[in-house]
Every structure is written in C-alpha cells, then in structure tokens.
Amino acid sequence: MSDPIRTKAHVLHSLRALLHDEDFTELVTPVARRADLGPGRRASAGLHEGRFLRAMIGPALRVNVSTTRPKVYEIGPCFRPEPPDALHAAEFTMLDLYAAGLGFEDLIDLAWRLVGPHLPSYAPEQLSIADHVRDAFGIDLRTEPIGDLHPRMAARIGADPGEPFRDVLGRYIALELEAGTTGRAVFLTDYPTGGDEPCARLAPGTTAVLERFELIVDGIELVHGYTDETDQKAFIDRAKAVSLYDDEQQLALDAVEAGAVPADTAGLGIGIERLCAASAGRREITPFLQSPQF
C-alpha cells in the first residue's frame, strides 16, 4: 500500500476540488457543542460552561444554508465515545454537506461523483429496501403502513420482539442486505419510517418510505444521505418516536421557521477514513488516522 497519509491527502483534495467546481462554500462549525444528546451519544469536553464533542457535523451546517450560501460543506473531526475497532475510531473525519433544492436522485448522483473516482473497480447499483420488504413480507410501504413488520422482521433474524423497531430494522438491513454487497457498491434506498434517520422526508405519494440512502461498498457503509422533511410536525413526531429529537435539530427547525434557512434541503455525509480504506482495498481505517501517538 502506498503512503496512507498521501492517499488521504489526495482524497481530500479531490473532494474539495469537485465541491468547489459545484459552487459549494466550505465552512467551519464548532466541534465543541452545548447540547448533550443523551447517554452514549457524545463525549464530554471539560471546557467553559461544559461542552460535548460533536458526533456529526450536520445540524450546525444546515443553519448556514441561506440564499447567499445555498450549498455548503465541511470536512472535520467527529468523535464517538464507544471503544474503537477496525472501522470505528474515537476521533475520525467526516465530510458533511447541505444544499438547498437538491432532489433525491441528484443527491445520489452527487455522492457517486464524489466517491466514485476513488472506487474505480466498482459500478454503482441501487437496491430498494421498500421493494425488498414487499417481496419478503408482502407489505407495500408505498401504499400501506408498517403494520406488523416489526415482529415479523424480528422473528426473521431471531431478535427479541420487544427490541425497538429502530434497532431491529438496522440489524435486519445489516444481515439481509448489507452482507450481500461483497465486491459490490450498492445504494440502499427507500428506507422504511421508524429507523434512525427521522429527519428524512417521506417520499411523495408514499405511506412509509423515506428519501434516504446509504452507500454500502463491500459490506461497509461509506456514505449516507437524505432529503430533509419539510413538514416540521411530521419530522418532530417521527424523531420523538425513536428518541432522536434534540436541541440542535430544534435550532435548525427554528431557523427554517424564521425564514433564515430554506426548508427544502438535502444532506449527505462521507466517512473519510473509510473511503480511503475502500480506495486502498483495506477493511480497516487505522492506517489513515494521523498521528495516533498523540
């Protein structure tokens, strides 16, 4: 393998160059945040008035979208309190972006144009989770509610039926869909409602399908993206139902309500070290974490 730090530098330069050409504005938002998102979601920092290290960039980035900055992005550090492993680190790098008026298919196209040049041996595919659910369980989420999908999905993977649907859905997708992406680059789309991205927009004309995607490359998530729900009540209700409504999301919604931020936005995030690992044919991010001795 070539020098991993040079590989990372090349990836970052490529991402910035494309976004510059697409008229995105690069921003820097606070790493240390006021909001405590609850147990296990953020690492605390011993700073003035108490702060928590961000686990994701998105909310503070979204409030910077405006008529003069309709497309923004940031590349910066994020932190997780859980123990590290081959694909997770206590400190890692994310690219997050937000854009006003960007449609869902255009968002998928942008995602591949960003990461595709670093994955030359892969051709992108799309797999609809809603179609899979229809074929596997006979429930058409485009026209029907979730119904009894929760206990049936739990039974399929041997999960406790009392486990929250959000967790059952995540495990089911990992076992039944992500595991089948060996040697492939697959955009998983049409996620059911009730998962861990409640801010995603309900797909027009559907009952329980979200405009959300994840790009899975050789079994590993590299990119996630979604269009934002423009119905604030629907967003709040869905987020509260899965215990993912927090102060930072409220700040973003307040900005939308005040007319400072457009409601029709879309965002995506890319794990930089994971992209570097995939481009080098590796299944661990450790070589791409700089200066670990500190």
Side-chain angles (χ1 to χ4, degrees), residues 13 49 61 70 85 91 141 148 164 188 193 205 231-232 257 269 272:
H13 175 77
E49 295 181 346
L61 193 63
D85 58 33
E91 178 181 351
L141 298 175
D148 63 353
L188 295 181
T193 55
D231 182 333
Q232 292 201 19
E257 184 71 21
I272 298 300

Side-chain angles (χ1 to χ4, degrees), residues 19 33-35 37 82 84 86-87 89 107 111 131-132 139 152 170 172 190 202 205 209 219 234 242 244 262 266 285:
L19 291 172
R33 305 282 183 82
R34 290 187 176 89
L37 301 187
E82 300 88 349
L87 294 173
L107 186 66
D131 287 352
H132 172 86
I139 299 173
R152 294 174 63 191
Y172 181 89
D190 301 331
L202 190 68
V209 176
V242 294
L244 288 176
I285 64 172

Side-chain angles (χ1 to χ4, degrees), residues 23-40:
D23 204 28
F24 276 80
T25 300
E26 184 170 9
L27 302 177
V28 178
T29 65
V31 171
R33 305 282 183 82
R34 290 187 176 89
D36 178 2
L37 301 187

Side-chain angles (χ1 to χ4, degrees), residues 7 27 69 85 129 150 154-155 160 198 201 205 238 246 254-255:
T7 296
L27 302 177
R69 294 182 303 273
D85 58 33
I129 297 174
H150 181 182
D160 184 334
R201 184 182 309 171
R238 288 205 302 268
D246 58 57
D254 288 346

Side-chain angles (χ1 to χ4, degrees), residues 9-30:
H10 170 70
V11 166
L12 291 172
H13 175 77
S14 169
L15 295 172
R16 283 189 165 100
L18 188 147
L19 291 172
H20 176 79
D21 289 345
E22 297 277 335
D23 204 28
F24 276 80
T25 300
E26 184 170 9
L27 302 177
V28 178
T29 65

